[in-house]
Amino acid sequence: MEFAKRVKGLKPEGAYAVLAYSQKLEARGQDIIHLEIGQPDFLTFPDIVEAGVDAIRTGQTRYNPPAGVPKLREVIARDAGIRRGVNILPEQVVVGPGAKPGLFFPTMALVDPGDRVLYPDPGFPTYEAMIVAAGGIPVPMPLLEENDFSLDFEAFDTLMDDRVKMIILNSPGNPTGGVILKADLEKIAKAAIQYDCWVLSDEIYSRLIYDNLSAPSIASLPGMMERTIIVDGFSKTYAMTGWRLGYMIAPVPLAERLALLMTHAVGCTATFTQFAGIQALTGSQEQADRVVEEYRKRRDLMVDGLNSLPGVSCRKPQGAFYAFPNIRKTGFSSQKLSLKLLDEVGVASLSGTDFGKNGQGYLRLCYATSPESITRALERIATCLGQIV
């Protein structure tokens, strides 16, 4: 069967492929510890659930404007602006079913065939997929472990030229947990202005930050709000992955185009989920803060345990909920060790290469699971590595 070029190169997302395989093993009776899926193990907070259920009961189940319920757009503009120190208008906000439309639609709206787009490697696999689907040329932008997984600026400087239409950033990052510091953002902003290109800033983990650090947005830098698309959502902070609620913030003329793509692609985002989103942002943030503190404890448990294992070293991630240990000294490739851990000791992880070629030599482990599961997983990994190192 012959397919269009834009879909020929699409590949499954590694997390879903490993999840499907691990579920087959579970069906055969094998006990699996799931560290592969980037999903909070907490339930959606009760006040948010009640707001969503109440919206259904009161008839908020019909179509709404493609850009989103006006009240939610207002709330997002206010909350996102305060957190980033910028002025955001409701007209700049476009709500979508999850954050992925916020990645795909700006790329479709701005990138023409042949345009070069820089994206982080290792990085979220959807970045490369959406560039290819738009007809652009994906250009991997290496991240360095020794720079706490911020950019390799020697490589960045060689990659930047007037053919680059867009730079994609993700901070805190998936899979590394790295945060791009303000000084590094200033270098990127200078290049974006010099070469007159866009920046798509994936900030879905911006609330999951540890050790009194901050994850500044490049949109807050001088001259950047007018050339930046901010992508964020509710999935990670509020344990709302299945609600499918996210948003993009862009200059008004672009936001209007993004709303048109929403119109023709999905029509609109479910109304009742948007009412839940209003409650998430306007209600008490105490539970969200408690969850972040719990993730910090789990991070420390995971990282300390990984650093005690033979052949493994792991930097302490500054944000998100992923550990990205270096496993090169085990003598195994990322793919082989990930498969071995799953098949032999029932620990589901992801190969670093699921996030690009620069992920070779690493695994991604999600610590958004119980401390008991983390401890058992570390014990199993130790058993496996004791046999092979």
Side-chain angles (χ1 to χ4, degrees), residues 54-387:
D54 186 61
I56 294 173
R57 288 182 177 136
T58 56
Q60 301 295 344
T61 56
R62 298 179 179 273
Y63 294 134
N64 63 82
V69 171
K71 177 64 175 178
L72 178 59
R73 296 175 74 193
E74 293 173 9
V75 169
I76 289 171
R78 182 170 61 252
D79 180 79
I82 290 171
R83 293 188 181 282
R84 292 165 177 85
V86 296
N87 183 46
I88 297 173
L89 301 173
E91 292 78 13
Q92 293 178 257
V93 177
V94 179
V95 177
K100 281 188 176 179
L103 302 176
F104 258 91
F105 290 172
T107 307
M108 299 300 291
L110 296 171
V111 175
D112 284 319
D115 287 340
R116 290 161 59 90
V117 180
L118 273 56
Y119 68 98
D121 183 352
F124 188 41
T126 292
Y127 301 146
E128 183 179 7
M130 70 197 194
I131 297 165
V132 171
I137 299 172
V139 181
M141 188 169 57
L143 307 181
L144 291 179
E145 180 180 2
E146 56 267 32
N147 198 19
D148 281 327
F149 293 108
S150 187
L151 277 63
D152 177 346
F153 278 98
E154 286 188 15
F156 176 76
D157 289 341
T158 64
L159 295 173
M160 278 302 302
D161 57 32
D162 55 12
R163 296 172 296 169
V164 175
K165 191 65 171 287
M166 180 185 288
I167 303 166
I168 299 172
L169 303 178
N170 179 210
S171 177
N174 176 14
T176 67
V179 171
I180 305 175
L181 300 179
K182 184 178 180 181
D184 288 352
L185 290 175
E186 288 172 343
K187 296 176 186 177
I188 299 166
K190 181 179 179 181
I193 292 170
Q194 177 182 348
Y195 291 105
D196 191 25
C197 68
W198 288 88
V199 174
L200 193 157
S201 185
D202 181 354
E203 302 178 9
I204 191 69
Y205 298 101
S206 61
R207 294 281 300 277
L208 304 183
I209 191 80
Y210 312 111
D211 304 326
N212 296 314
L213 297 175
S214 63
S217 172
I218 197 169
S220 67
L221 299 180
M224 290 306 297
M225 194 66 199
E226 58 263 37
R227 64 176 66 250
T228 299
I229 305 102
I230 298 169
V231 181
D232 205 341
F234 296 77
S235 294
K236 313 301 183 181
T237 301
Y238 299 105
M240 293 177 68
T241 52
W243 293 74
R244 309 314 302 138
L245 185 61
Y247 56 88
M248 47 202 126
I249 299 170
V252 172
L254 175 56
E256 292 172 348
R257 292 284 134 181
L258 299 176
L260 287 174
L261 285 170
M262 281 291 303
T263 300
H264 297 295
V266 299
C268 63
T269 306
T271 308
F272 52 89
T273 66
Q274 296 188 58
F275 277 78
I278 293 169
Q279 176 61 32
L281 293 180
T282 59
S284 171
Q285 302 300 300
E286 289 184 7
Q287 188 162 351
D289 293 339
R290 286 198 301 270
V291 166
V292 173
E293 175 59 18
E294 180 61 28
Y295 286 149
R296 185 197 62 77
K297 294 176 183 177
R298 296 176 183 187
R299 176 203 64 174
D300 292 348
L301 177 64
M302 175 72 83
V303 172
D304 290 347
L306 289 170
N307 281 321
S308 72
L309 298 175
V312 177
S313 64
C314 185
R315 287 189 173 243
K316 187 168 286 188
Q318 300 159 315
F321 39 49
Y322 308 110
F324 201 60
N326 185 322
I327 51 90
R328 290 173 182 149
K329 290 184 180 179
T330 66
F332 276 72
S333 70
S334 298
Q335 303 94 318
K336 288 185 178 179
L337 184 54
S338 178
L339 185 60
K340 186 176 183 68
L341 289 174
L342 182 54
D343 282 338
E344 296 188 8
V345 295
V347 175
S349 65
L350 293 184
S351 165
T353 54
D354 286 330
F355 303 91
K357 65 179 182 180
N358 290 313
Q360 185 60 262
Y362 299 88
L363 296 180
R364 193 196 79 172
L365 307 173
C366 177
Y367 52 82
T369 188
S370 70
E372 294 77 17
S373 292
I374 293 171
T375 299
R376 288 195 300 124
L378 290 167
E379 291 170 350
R380 293 185 186 187
I381 297 171
T383 298
C384 186
L385 291 177
Q387 296 170 353

